[in-house]
Amino acid sequence: MKQMSEKNHSVVEINQEFPLTIKRLGINGEGVGYYKKQVVFVPGALPGEEAVVQVTKIHPKYAQAAVKTIRKESPHRVTAPCPVYDACGGCQLQHLEYNQQLVHKRDILIQALERHTKLPIAQMDIRQTIGMDNPWYYRNKSQFQVGKKGEKVIAGLYGTNSHQLVDIKECIVQRKETNKATQVVRKQLDKLKIPVYNERTKKGTVRTIVSRVGIETGQVQIVIVTATDDLPQKDKLIRALENKMPEIKSIMQNVNPASTSVIFGNKTILLSGQKTIEDKIEQYTYHLSARAFFQLNPIQTKKLYDEIKKASELTGKEKIVDAYCGSGTIGLWLSQGASEIRGMDVIKESIQDARMNAKQHGLKNYTYETGTAQEWMLKWKDEGFKPDVVVVDPPRTGCDESLLKTILTVKPKRFVYASCNPSTLAKDLMALSSKYKIEYIQPLDMFPQTSHVESVTQLVLKEDN
C-alpha cells in the first residue's frame, strides 16, 4: 500500500499557484518547466520566461498549468495576429518569432531522440531547420466542421480539448482561395437552409466543408461531407457555387454516417465538374482526387522532396521503393535518378492517381500496387526484386512494426525516412539502428506557426550486414 501512495503522490494540487521558469518547448508547443522536480506543461509560455502559473490538471508523471502572469517576458514573444488564436488551437506558436520557431523545432526533435532512444545524440548530425520565406497563407487544403450558432451556419475548428466550434472567417495559415471557397459554401448552406449535422443529436446532413486549391493551377475542389446520402437542395447548391466561384472545377460529396472524428467516409460521389483537380510542383503535374493525400504546403514540399532526393544519392541505376506512396508524388520526383520505381498504398484511389501521374509524365519502369508495403516488398523479394533505396513518408503513427521488420529483412543500401512526428521517428530509428547507421537528420518546417516538425533522415546499411 505504501508503494501505491508514493506512486500516486503529486507535489502540486489543482489550482495551486507558484512561480515557474520555462526551460524549453514541449512536443505540442507548450512551455516546459520544473517545480520541485515535477514536470509542468504550460500552454502559451515560452523558453526563458518567468511566470506565475496555476495548476489545471495533474497526471501521474506531470502537471498542466495555465499562465496567470508573466514576470519576465521572452524577447522573442510577439502578438499573435490571428483574432481567434487562443480559442482555436489549430496553431500553437503564433506568439513566438518565426526564426525562433525554427530553433525550437530542432530542439523538439532532439528531445524526442533523448526520450525514446539510446542513440549517441551529441555525436549525431542534426541540421538546422529549413524554414519558409513567408510563413503565412500556405495551406492548400482546409477541413472546416459545420455547425449552428443560433440560426446561423458557422464553419471552423473545434477549440482545444472542447466541443465548442470556433467560427473562423479567415484562417491566416490557409490559402486565400480555400478561405474564400469555405465561406462561399457556408453562405449557401445558410441561404438554402440545408440542414447541418449536429454532433450531439446525430441529426442533420452536412458535417464538413473540405476545400483544396491547386496553387500553380488555381483550380479549386470542394468536398461536402454529409452524414446521409441525401443532400437537400443539391442542384441549387451546385449552381450557386459554380456561379460564385468559376475557379471551382470539382464538386464532390463524401458520405460519412459514422460517429467518428475521422473526416471522410468510404463513399465519394461526383456532383459536378471533374473527379480530380491538378496542381504542379516544378515540371510535375499531379491529379488530386477528393481523398488522395497531397502535401499541404507545396512551397515547402519542393524543399522536402529535394532533401529526400539528396538523401537517396541517386546515380540513375537505383531501384527504388516508395512506401506509403499516396498519389506517387515522391516517386515522380526521384524518377529521373532511378532505373525503376515501385510503390504501394492501402488507398485504392491513391494508387489510381499514382499510375495516372506516372503515365502522364512518361515514366517507363514503374509499378504501383494497392496494399501494404510489407506485403508487397516481401512478395517482390521472393520474385528476386531487391531495392537499392527505400523511401517512406508515413502517417503520424510512424512505420508499422511489420514494415520495420521487412526493411531489416530486405536490407536496402539506403533507407530515407521522411517523418512528420519526432516521437514515432525516434522509436523507429531505435528499431532500425541495429543494422543501419543514421548519417544525418534534416528538420524542415512544413507547418509554420504550429508545433509540427517534419524531417528527413538518411540511414545507410552497416557494412557488416
Side-chain angles (χ1 to χ4, degrees):
M1 288 299 290
K2 189 167 183 277
Q3 277 182 325
M4 282 291 288
S5 63
E6 278 177 7
K7 189 179 174 185
N8 291 330
H9 180 67
S10 175
V11 299
V12 298
E13 294 173 5
I14 291 285
N15 294 329
Q16 183 180 341
E17 292 185 20
F18 48 83
L20 192 71
T21 300
I22 306 301
K23 298 293 187 188
R24 65 202 315 186
L25 282 186
I27 201 154
N28 298 310
E30 68 281 79
V32 181
Y34 299 89
Y35 179 74
K36 296 183 179 176
K37 295 187 178 174
Q38 178 156 26
V39 179
V40 184
F41 292 114
V42 188
L46 294 175
E49 292 190 330
E50 293 169 12
V52 175
V53 303
Q54 183 176 39
V55 177
T56 54
K57 278 186 186 170
I58 297 170
H59 300 263
K61 292 183 179 174
Y62 62 91
Q64 281 176 270
V67 173
K68 294 292 286 181
T69 55
I70 297 174
R71 289 176 173 175
K72 181 188 167 193
E73 197 173 89
S74 165
H76 306 298
R77 178 176 282 278
V78 292
T79 303
C82 173
V84 293
Y85 176 56
D86 293 328
C88 164
C91 297
Q92 300 82 39
L93 298 178
Q94 283 192 21
H95 62 295
L96 177 61
E97 250 172 30
Y98 185 59
N99 63 348
Q100 286 299 304
Q101 291 183 29
L102 301 179
V103 169
H104 288 293
K105 289 191 180 198
R106 180 177 179 270
D107 186 58
I108 286 170
L109 187 60
I110 291 168
Q111 284 182 63
L113 293 166
E114 287 169 348
R115 192 176 302 121
H116 300 294
T117 78
K118 296 187 173 78
L119 297 167
I121 298 158
Q123 280 90 59
M124 288 170 68
D125 181 3
I126 302 170
R127 299 175 177 181
Q128 298 304 314
T129 311
I130 297 169
M132 277 191 93
D133 294 335
N134 176 18
W136 303 100
Y137 295 108
Y138 59 82
R139 288 179 68 108
N140 61 359
K141 182 183 178 186
S142 75
Q143 300 180 150
F144 277 13
Q145 310 303 318
V146 181
K148 278 285 195 73
K149 194 173 185 180
E151 288 304 301
K152 194 166 171 281
V153 174
I154 62 170
L157 299 172
Y158 286 108
T160 315
N161 303 323
S162 92
H163 267 285
Q164 201 65 43
L165 190 61
V166 178
D167 188 21
I168 301 172
K169 295 283 193 297
E170 184 192 36
C171 175
I172 58 177
V173 296
Q174 285 289 348
R175 296 287 297 193
K176 294 192 175 181
E177 300 94 330
T178 62
N179 278 321
K180 180 183 172 186
T182 303
Q183 290 306 314
V184 166
V185 178
R186 182 194 65 75
K187 284 173 185 167
Q188 291 308 313
L189 295 177
D190 213 5
K191 187 179 176 183
L192 296 169
K193 302 279 185 280
I194 296 171
V196 303
Y197 186 71
N198 184 310
E199 289 282 344
R200 200 169 40 77
T201 64
K202 311 290 181 216
K203 289 189 168 61
T205 305
V206 178
R207 300 178 75 145
T208 311
I209 301 165
V210 180
S211 59
R212 171 145 65 182
V213 61
I215 287 177
E216 291 298 322
T217 61
Q219 295 179 3
V220 173
Q221 181 179 63
I222 300 285
V223 186
I224 297 164
V225 182
T226 58
T228 57
D229 283 36
D230 180 48
L231 176 56
Q233 304 272 48
K234 182 167 63 183
D235 294 339
K236 282 184 181 174
L237 176 63
I238 292 164
R239 275 201 308 277
L241 297 184
E242 289 174 338
N243 285 338
K244 301 273 180 196
M245 261 187 103
E247 56 269 46
I248 295 174
K249 302 298 176 194
S250 170
I251 304 175
M252 311 291 288
Q253 179 188 355
N254 176 271
V255 184
N256 184 3
S259 293
T260 172
S261 58
V262 176
I263 300 286
F264 287 117
N266 292 324
K267 184 176 179 181
T268 307
I269 306 153
L270 174 66
L271 296 183
S272 181
Q274 49 213 39
K275 280 190 176 179
T276 62
I277 59 166
E278 292 180 353
D279 202 2
K280 290 174 102 167
I281 305 179
E282 298 233 312
Q283 72 267 43
Y284 301 110
T285 300
Y286 299 104
H287 292 267
L288 308 172
S289 56
R291 292 181 63 206
F293 172 75
F294 188 64
Q295 295 283 357
L296 294 167
N297 183 345
I299 292 164
Q300 291 298 85
T301 299
K302 180 191 175 309
K303 296 177 191 175
L304 175 72
Y305 289 177
D306 281 344
E307 288 301 323
I308 292 170
K309 193 166 194 173
K310 201 185 292 177
S312 300
E313 293 184 5
L314 303 176
T315 64
K317 296 174 185 171
E318 284 77 12
K319 294 173 186 166
I320 296 178
V321 167
D322 176 12
Y324 304 98
C325 71
S327 49
T329 50
I330 292 173
L332 267 185
W333 205 262
L334 303 178
S335 60
Q336 287 180 333
S339 66
E340 184 176 356
I341 300 274
R342 295 192 182 193
M344 69 292 283
D345 201 286
V346 291
I347 297 174
K348 188 177 72 177
E349 295 97 322
S350 291
I351 291 300
Q352 289 165 355
D353 289 349
R355 287 172 181 161
M356 181 162 60
N357 288 332
K359 190 177 177 184
Q360 181 184 316
H361 289 94
L363 260 66
K364 297 286 184 283
N365 215 352
Y366 68 89
T367 307
Y368 286 108
E369 302 288 2
T370 305
T372 65
Q374 49 273 27
E375 156 197 354
W376 279 104
M377 280 171 69
L378 291 174
K379 189 173 189 292
W380 291 335
K381 181 177 183 283
D382 291 343
E383 292 168 2
F385 173 83
K386 181 180 166 73
D388 301 292
V389 181
V390 173
V391 176
V392 293
D393 186 7
R396 288 191 63 74
T397 47
C399 290
D400 199 285
E401 194 182 334
S402 54
L403 173 59
L404 295 175
K405 283 181 181 164
T406 304
I407 296 295
L408 295 170
T409 305
V410 174
K411 294 195 276 200
K413 286 182 216 139
R414 277 183 296 289
F415 183 56
V416 180
Y417 192 144
S419 162
C420 60
N421 183 340
S423 297
T424 52
L425 169 70
K427 290 171 190 171
D428 291 350
L429 292 183
M430 194 62 205
L432 292 163
S433 64
S434 60
K435 291 188 180 176
Y436 282 86
K437 179 177 186 289
I438 297 158
E439 288 291 335
Y440 67 84
I441 305 176
Q442 174 62 69
L444 188 133
D445 190 20
M446 291 293 280
F447 298 104
Q449 319 309 330
T450 78
S451 57
H452 292 290
V453 191
E454 201 96 7
S455 61
V456 174
T457 303
Q458 186 196 53
L459 298 104
V460 176
L461 191 66
K462 291 176 181 175
E463 284 179 12
D464 53 356
N465 285 284

